[in-house]
Amino acid sequence: MQYISSLSPVMQTLLATFFTWGMTALGAALVFTTKKVNQKLMDGMLGFAGGVMIAASFWSLLAPALSMAESGPFPSWFPAAVGFMSGGLFLWGVDKVIPHLHPNTPRAEAEGIQPYKRHRSTLLVLAITMHNIPEGLAVGVAFGSVATGNPEASIAGATALAIGMGIQNFPEGTAVSMPLRRDGLSRWKSFYYGQLSGVVEPIAALIGVAAVTLMQPLLPFALSFAAGAMIFVVAEEVIPGSQENGNKDLASMWLMIGFTIMMILDVALG
């Protein structure tokens, strides 16, 4: 932890998001060992990812935003409320515009503008890529808030967030590579497209760290924005996707396990 503290905010952010990208690639690499992952395992992993994201949204993002806003010019709830809703609305808009296809969904149910003109592999990668934007942004904002010297932020807390995001990226990489393998793509191509969805996280993270270090008054809004975007992803895709195959109880319990682990990580390290 002392070594991480000695690095610049940009290097801290890049290291953290290279880890989350690596976890996406690790999940995608399962395609080299099997052509099909047990559906109960996948649903449990998705439920776990949802729990991690929900816990991170509150403990790592919303709670610090509320504390930071107490010394600002607005009521403490205002930046959190505006940022949270803005994050959700942003992802809703992106969801309507960018062509994409959720894993395990028929090609006919692709969403966005003119999705029928895109290959299935491209649509799958775009779906997970959209979901990785708020995760990368959240990590960048967390490390950026540490760089501002805000007492509510800590290296340990930002690191805990990165670890949590990395853990939940594992099933996302698998969720892209496995359907592509079943569709007939080679193992290497399936892996390539699976890990490719994680490339956006370092980019989004750098945008986040730059925004909050250059415009410190925006920090509570930025933290809340990332939280709102992540909750939209959980509600719109992760939870429904984990339960659509009938494993509702299993997915729900793993969601609670993921929430608990992320809560412990954040509270213990932050």
Side-chain angles (χ1 to χ4, degrees), residues 1-58:
M1 199 68 68
Q2 187 174 0
Y3 170 73
I4 296 176
S5 301
S6 67
L7 299 175
S8 70
V10 170
M11 284 304 301
Q12 291 170 350
T13 303
L14 284 175
L15 281 176
T17 48
F18 282 156
F19 166 72
T20 61
W21 180 8
M23 289 298 289
T24 304
L26 192 61
L30 286 183
V31 76
F32 292 112
T33 62
T34 180
K35 192 172 182 177
K36 184 178 181 181
V37 175
N38 182 279
Q39 191 59 55
K40 287 187 176 181
L41 175 62
M42 277 300 301
D43 291 344
M45 290 166 67
L46 283 175
F48 181 89
V52 168
M53 293 175 75
I54 293 171
S57 295
F58 179 74

Side-chain angles (χ1 to χ4, degrees), residues 56-68:
S57 295
F58 179 74
W59 270 279
S60 297
L61 301 170
L62 277 178
L66 287 166
S67 297
M68 293 172 190

